[in-house]
Amino acid sequence: MEKRIAKINISSAGGTAAKGSKTCKVTLPTSWMNELGIGEERRDVELSFDGNQIVISRHLTGEEFAEQKIAAGHDVRLLHFYDGDKLCTVIYADFTDETLTVENYVDDPVKTAFGNNVLPTWAAFQAFLEERCVPRQRAGLREYLETIGVSEYDPLEIIQKTAGRMAEDHQWLEMEVLK
């Protein structure tokens, strides 16, 4: 692992930032960026912070995410989230290590699966799935589950049967297992 010492450039934030706001920047070696596949045409990176260190990694497309996870033998599912016939969000979900990546195809956050959140957590994904199902507290839930052929309340299984369709909207899901 190559290491370098760098200085953080700290300056006043401009635009509509609050009074006294600062912005922090660091210059990274071009050779490192080239090795990561980051350049003029592809500039998106993910920043991770665990309280002790910041990790910079190239933001993977959904297909790249799926390829890496499948190559590692993971259970990866692809979910297409529609509003009517308009594809709004594609979700690549790894059920092995409980990670995901999303790609939005509309600008309206109300139509996307996770609103303005472009890096949802597994918990947010689970909540999204449950939102596309009949509520757990619904009266007559047991009869509903029997009618659709589901033995217990499992949002993923319910969505496979109902496509995540709800009476209140035109949104729905299509799911496939990737191999």
Side-chain angles (χ1 to χ4, degrees):
M1 172 187 291
E2 185 178 344
K3 292 185 177 185
R4 294 188 185 188
I5 301 291
K7 291 204 182 297
I8 301 291
N9 298 319
I10 302 172
S11 59
S12 297
T16 59
K19 184 177 180 181
S21 293
K22 303 288 183 189
T23 185
C24 302
K25 301 173 186 171
V26 65
T27 301
L28 301 169
T30 303
S31 61
W32 291 4
M33 295 299 97
N34 289 341
E35 198 165 325
L36 279 176
I38 298 168
E40 294 286 331
E41 299 298 316
R42 184 144 185 212
R43 308 168 106 183
D44 290 340
V45 295
E46 286 185 26
L47 305 176
S48 305
F49 180 60
D50 67 5
N52 293 313
Q53 63 183 353
I54 298 169
V55 176
I56 301 171
S57 54
R58 182 169 55 89
H59 179 70
L60 300 176
T61 66
E63 287 182 8
E64 291 169 331
F65 173 88
E67 285 173 13
Q68 281 187 6
K69 301 297 186 162
I70 291 168
H74 292 204
D75 174 10
V76 180
R77 315 270 175 101
L78 177 63
L79 293 92
H80 293 92
F81 183 58
Y82 292 89
D83 184 48
D85 61 355
K86 176 78 173 165
L87 177 61
C88 299
T89 303
V90 175
I91 305 165
Y92 294 83
D94 181 342
F95 283 75
T96 303
D97 68 7
E98 299 185 344
T99 58
L100 63 143
T101 192
V102 300
E103 296 174 346
N104 291 322
Y105 293 94
V106 294
D107 293 327
D108 183 355
V110 172
K111 302 289 185 191
T112 64
F114 302 98
N116 287 324
N117 185 0
V118 294
L119 293 172
T121 63
W122 191 257
F125 175 61
Q126 294 300 307
F128 166 73
L129 292 177
E130 200 157 322
E131 286 172 8
R132 302 308 309 168
C133 296
V134 62
R136 285 182 190 267
Q137 308 84 345
R138 181 176 177 172
L141 178 62
R142 175 64 37 215
E143 292 81 14
Y144 173 80
L145 294 176
E146 286 174 8
T147 300
I148 65 170
V150 176
S151 60
E152 62 184 16
Y153 191 90
D154 178 352
L156 202 58
E157 198 173 338
I158 293 169
I159 287 170
Q160 287 175 324
K161 298 283 187 173
T162 67
R165 293 185 187 273
M166 303 297 290
E168 309 85 45
D169 61 35
H170 297 97
Q171 296 176 319
W172 59 281
L173 285 158
E174 178 178 76
M175 182 175 25
E176 68 180 278
V177 176
L178 298 180
K179 301 205 186 284

